[in-house]
Amino acid sequence: MITIALPSKGRMKDDASNVFAKAGLKIVAVGNDRSYRGRIEGRDDIEIAFLSASEIARELGNGTVDFGVTGEDLVREGLPDADARVEFCARLGFGHADVVVAVPEIWLDVDSMADLGDVAADFRSRHGRRLTIATKYWRLTQQYFSGSHGIQLYRIVESLGATEGAPAAGQADIIVDITSTGSTLKANHLKILSDGVIVRSEACLVRARKPAHDADSTVAEIINAVSGALQG
Amino acid sequence: MPGMDMPEFSGEILDELSRRNTLRVDTPVIQPAEPFLDMAGEDLRRRIFLTESEKGESLCLRPEFTIPVCRRHIETATGTPKRYVYLGQVFRQRRDGPNEFFQAGIEDLGDPDTAAADARAIDDALAVLRRVLPGQALSVTLGDQQVFEAVVAALGLPRGWQKRLVHAFGNTQGLEALLDSLVNPRPVRGLDARVAGLLATGDEAALVAHIDHVMQETGYSTNASRSPADIARRLREKLALAAASLPEHSFNLLKQFLALDVPLREASAVLGAFAEKAGLELDGALTSFERRVAALAETGADLDAVTWRAAFGRPLDYYTGLVFEITGKERGAVLAGGGRFDRLMTLLGAQDHIPAVGFSLWLDRIEAARSGA
C-alpha cells in the first residue's frame, strides 16, 4: 500500500486534487467531505491521508507516508539534511511563496546581508543585546545567516502568530518569513533585502526515500503520472 | 563506549595542573542556556543539548567550562587574580567524535601582566601534554588579533572598513570575500529622492529628524531597536565608503600580512620588516608581541616549535588577542586550544574589567594520541 499525504484544506487541497485528477489519479474521500482519509478512484493499492502542511513534512521525514504534497519551505525547515531523507519529485506550479529576510523599511542603510552583518556585529555594544530575528523558520534562518553569510551573532525569537508585526511591536528587530505577494510586508513597513530570498518555495510532490520504493512499480507510476500531467 | 569513563590519565592531568598555583573548581552540568547563546549566538543552538525547566527557563548541558567558571567567579564575588582548574564532561553535538567527552583546562583571571599570562597559558598546556604524551612531538600555532587590528588601523582605512575587517578576522573565507568586496564596492541602492537629497546637503540633524518622523508615522518605537541616529550615522558612513574602493596597495599589504606564517623565533623580525617595508607604524602592537615572545622564551619553550600565523584568529567577538592551538605531529588533531578573552567577564556581568586567558585540553583526542600514535 502506497500512502500519499495531501493538504487537508484550502487552496492547496483543491490544487493538489486537480493535479492528481489530470494525472489520471482521481481522489475521492472516504466517508464524508471532512474525512481525513481518501483513496484513488479505481485503485486499492494507494491510500490518501489528509494532513496539515507541516504534518505532511514531518511524516515524510518519519517515512510514515510514501509521498506528500507540501511546500518546499516546510520540508527544508522541518528536516535537517532534507535532500538525503526525501526526494523532490516534481514542482507542482502552485503554492508559490518565498522565505525571505525582511527588515524595517526605515533601515535606509541596510540593503543586503552584508549590511545586516555589519549591524549585527555592532549590535551588542550599541544596544546591550544581540540582534533579534522573529521567525518560525529556525533551521532555514540559521543555515542562511550562519552557514551562507557568516553571520553568527544574532538570536531567534519564536514567532507563533503574525511574524510581520514583531518589529513594530518591539519583539524583534527583523524577521524571516514567508511571503507571496509581499503586500503584508509592505503593510508592516518591512522590506526584503536585495539578497534576502532564502527559498523560492512552491508545492512539491515529495517522496520519502525508502529502499522498498526501488522495486515498487506503483511509486514510479505515480511520479510519472504527475510529472506528465504538469507538462500537459 | 568512547568518552563514557574518565580517562585513566586524568589523575596525571589534575596533578600537573594543580602544581601551577591553581584552584580546582567544578560547575553544575545543567546550566542556563542563555549565557552561551548570548555569547556565541544562534549558531551554538544546533550544537548544544537544550532542555527546559518546569518554569520554562531554557537550560542546557554545559558545552564547555569557560563561561560556567567565569560566571561562578562573578557569583562568588572573589577577588582577582585567580587561576581556576577544571576537569569534567562537556556535551556537544559534533561531526566527529562522541557527544559527551572530557575536557580539562585553566582559566587565568585578572593578571594585568598579559604577556606573562599568555606565555604561562601556552606553557601550562604544553606541560600537561608532555606529561601524558611523553616523547610525542607537539607543535603550537598562535595568532594575535591585536596585530591585525594594528595593521588595519595603520593603513589608515576608514573606520567602517576597519570594523568589518576586524570582525571577519579568524574566518578565512569571510575575510577573503570581504577584501574582494572592498576592492569592488557596490553603490548604495534603494534610497528615495527625499533621503538622497538630505544626504546631499550633509545636514545630519535633518536626516535624523526625517527618519524619526517616518518611524513615528509607521508605528515604530524609536528606542526599541535601532535609533534614527544609528541609521543616519551608518547611512552616511556607507555612502562615504561606497564612493571609495580599497586601494590596490592596501589590498596587497593586507594579503601579504595575512600570508605570514613563520616560526616564533623569527616572528618579531619578520613583523618588524613587514612594517618597515610597508611604511606602517605598528610600534605598540610590535612591543606587546615582543614582550609575549620574550615571556614565552623565559618559560623554556622551544620557539622553533611555535609558529605564528598572521591570519589565525577565532571569529567570536570576545576573543581579543592571543589565540593558540597545540597539535600532535602526526595526526593534526587539536589537543589543546586557548586564547585571551578580555571582553568576556564584562559581557557576563562583571563590574570591573578583568583580563582573562585560558585553554582547554581535549581528553578524547589525547586518549587517541596515547593509544594510536
Side-chain angles (χ1 to χ4, degrees):
Chain A
M1 179 71 75
I2 295 294
T3 307
I4 306 177
L6 296 179
S8 53
K9 56 185 175 154
R11 220 27 232 272
M12 289 266 280
K13 180 181 184 182
D14 296 334
D15 287 336
S17 195
N18 290 339
V19 165
F20 272 78
K22 269 183 91 180
L25 301 164
K26 186 170 171 215
I27 294 164
V28 290
V30 169
N32 63 37
D33 211 33
R34 304 259 204 90
S35 164
Y36 290 106
R37 292 240 150 254
R39 56 182 185 83
I40 303 289
E41 193 172 66
R43 303 288 293 257
D44 60 3
D45 58 336
I46 304 175
E47 71 176 3
I48 308 292
F50 292 103
L51 300 171
S52 76
S54 47
E55 278 176 322
I56 294 174
R58 196 184 60 226
E59 298 305 305
L60 282 165
N62 293 340
T64 47
V65 299
D66 299 288
F67 286 95
V69 169
T70 188
E72 182 188 1
D73 61 311
L74 293 172
V75 176
R76 295 205 179 279
E77 175 58 30
L79 305 178
D81 208 10
D83 291 302
R85 309 254 292 272
V86 303
E87 183 195 359
F88 291 90
C89 300
R91 301 184 74 85
L92 301 176
F94 60 87
H96 292 278
D98 295 343
V99 180
V100 299
V101 182
V103 310
E105 266 174 351
I106 197 56
W107 287 18
L108 304 171
D109 60 320
V110 177
D111 176 61
S112 67
M113 290 295 289
D115 287 323
L116 205 51
D118 274 0
V119 171
D122 247 0
F123 211 85
R124 205 183 206 291
S125 57
R126 288 185 188 281
H127 300 97
R129 59 178 178 81
R130 298 291 189 201
L131 177 79
T132 312
I133 311 176
T135 186
K136 302 180 189 54
Y137 295 93
W138 291 76
R139 198 183 313 278
L140 289 175
T141 300
Q142 274 169 14
Q143 283 170 358
Y144 201 65
F145 275 69
S146 307
S148 309
H149 289 273
I151 303 175
Q152 319 275 19
L153 302 173
Y154 59 93
R155 298 299 304 277
I156 294 177
V157 293
E158 175 115 50
S159 147
L160 299 168
T163 310
E164 301 92 350
Q171 287 158 7
D173 301 298
I174 67 174
I175 70 171
V176 167
D177 200 17
I178 191 126
T179 181
S180 38
T181 61
S183 55
T184 318
L185 289 175
K186 249 208 144 343
N188 283 276
H189 308 288
L190 298 167
K191 60 180 177 179
I192 304 173
L193 297 183
S194 61
D195 54 353
V197 177
I198 300 180
V199 175
R200 290 196 194 282
S201 178
E202 64 188 283
C204 297
L205 177 67
V206 185
R207 181 181 70 84
R209 292 188 192 271
K210 292 160 96 170
H213 286 178
D214 293 339
D216 194 324
S217 58
T218 311
V219 168
E221 186 199 335
I222 292 170
I223 297 175
N224 291 332
V226 172
S227 306
L230 291 171
Q231 279 156 19
Chain B
M1 278 171 76
M4 287 291 296
D5 303 315
M6 198 173 294
E8 32 116 15
F9 51 86
S10 302
E12 290 188 70
I13 291 185
L14 284 171
D15 181 58
E16 195 60 46
L17 290 172
S18 66
R19 292 181 191 192
R20 296 176 165 254
N21 188 26
T22 54
L23 170 68
R24 174 136 186 238
V25 292
D26 203 351
T27 73
V29 166
I30 298 177
Q31 292 271 331
E34 189 57 31
F36 299 99
L37 295 174
D38 193 30
M39 291 304 122
E42 281 302 331
D43 197 51
L44 190 59
R45 189 184 289 269
R46 283 176 302 147
R47 293 184 277 135
I48 65 178
F49 290 95
L50 284 168
T51 184
E52 247 186 35
S53 74
E54 263 187 317
K55 296 182 195 157
E57 188 201 353
S58 195
L59 301 170
C60 70
L61 302 181
R62 70 181 173 216
E64 49 108 56
F65 273 93
T66 302
I67 286 173
V69 167
C70 288
R71 289 184 72 237
R72 184 187 180 283
H73 175 86
I74 295 170
E75 275 159 27
T76 53
T78 52
T80 53
K82 278 280 192 321
R83 285 166 53 78
Y84 295 109
V85 152
Y86 58 85
L87 187 152
Q89 274 175 310
V90 294
F91 306 85
R92 285 190 221 178
Q93 315 214 38
R94 300 191 288 172
R95 264 169 305 174
D96 51 337
N99 293 334
E100 29 190 309
F101 53 99
F102 284 85
Q103 280 193 329
I106 294 181
E107 309 297 353
D108 184 323
L109 308 179
D111 187 340
D113 186 349
T114 57
D118 284 355
R120 203 162 50 223
I122 298 173
D123 183 52
D124 289 343
L126 278 171
V128 174
L129 289 174
R130 277 193 219 106
R131 171 97 179 250
V132 292
L133 295 170
Q136 289 195 30
L138 301 165
S139 56
V140 183
T141 307
L142 69 82
D144 190 342
Q145 181 168 297
Q146 299 275 313
V147 179
F148 181 69
E149 285 190 38
V151 170
V152 163
L155 279 170
L157 298 176
R159 250 180 34 99
W161 284 352
Q162 284 189 46
K163 280 198 297 187
R164 271 206 194 182
L165 287 165
V166 170
H167 186 69
F169 182 70
N171 175 353
T172 317
Q173 264 184 321
L175 187 51
E176 253 182 52
L178 177 60
L179 282 171
D180 286 334
S181 78
L182 293 182
V183 169
N184 302 301
R186 293 178 355 170
V188 177
R189 303 190 295 173
L191 299 179
D192 67 29
R194 175 85 187 269
V195 174
L198 284 169
L199 279 167
T201 66
D203 186 348
E204 173 128 17
L207 178 60
V208 173
H210 169 73
I211 296 172
D212 188 79
H213 176 73
V214 173
M215 281 178 108
Q216 307 269 11
E217 293 260 287
T218 53
Y220 278 92
S221 161
T222 52
N223 54 24
S225 181
R226 301 180 75 211
S227 67
D230 273 348
I231 297 168
R233 182 200 42 84
R234 191 171 171 277
L235 182 57
R236 290 178 71 233
E237 203 177 81
K238 190 179 171 187
L239 215 63
L241 291 180
S245 72
L246 183 65
E248 196 179 330
H249 179 67
S250 303
F251 176 83
N252 290 334
L253 284 177
L254 281 168
K255 286 285 211 179
Q256 272 172 43
F257 173 77
L258 291 168
L260 295 175
D261 187 343
V262 296
L264 196 61
R265 187 179 299 287
E266 307 162 19
S268 299
V270 166
L271 193 48
F274 168 80
E276 196 180 316
K277 183 152 172 253
L280 296 177
E281 216 257 70
L282 298 181
D283 298 350
L286 258 171
T287 312
S288 303
F289 190 86
E290 277 160 12
R291 270 202 276 127
R292 185 198 294 128
V293 176
L296 198 50
E298 244 173 88
T299 69
D302 176 8
L303 298 188
D304 287 311
V306 181
T307 304
W308 171 58
R309 204 154 50 84
F312 181 37
R314 288 234 176 77
L316 275 171
D317 60 353
Y318 56 86
Y319 279 102
T320 52
L322 168 77
V323 292
F324 70 93
E325 279 180 351
I326 306 179
T327 53
K329 193 161 161 230
E330 302 298 342
R331 294 170 167 269
V334 174
L335 304 171
R340 175 161 289 282
F341 46 97
D342 285 348
R343 281 204 208 115
L344 183 64
M345 296 299 286
T346 308
L347 287 175
L348 288 176
Q351 300 282 39
D352 308 312
H353 170 78
I354 301 178
V357 65
F359 66 90
S360 280
L361 302 154
W362 298 74
L363 271 51
D364 55 338
R365 296 178 190 161
I366 293 172
E367 195 161 33
R370 275 164 68 95
S371 58

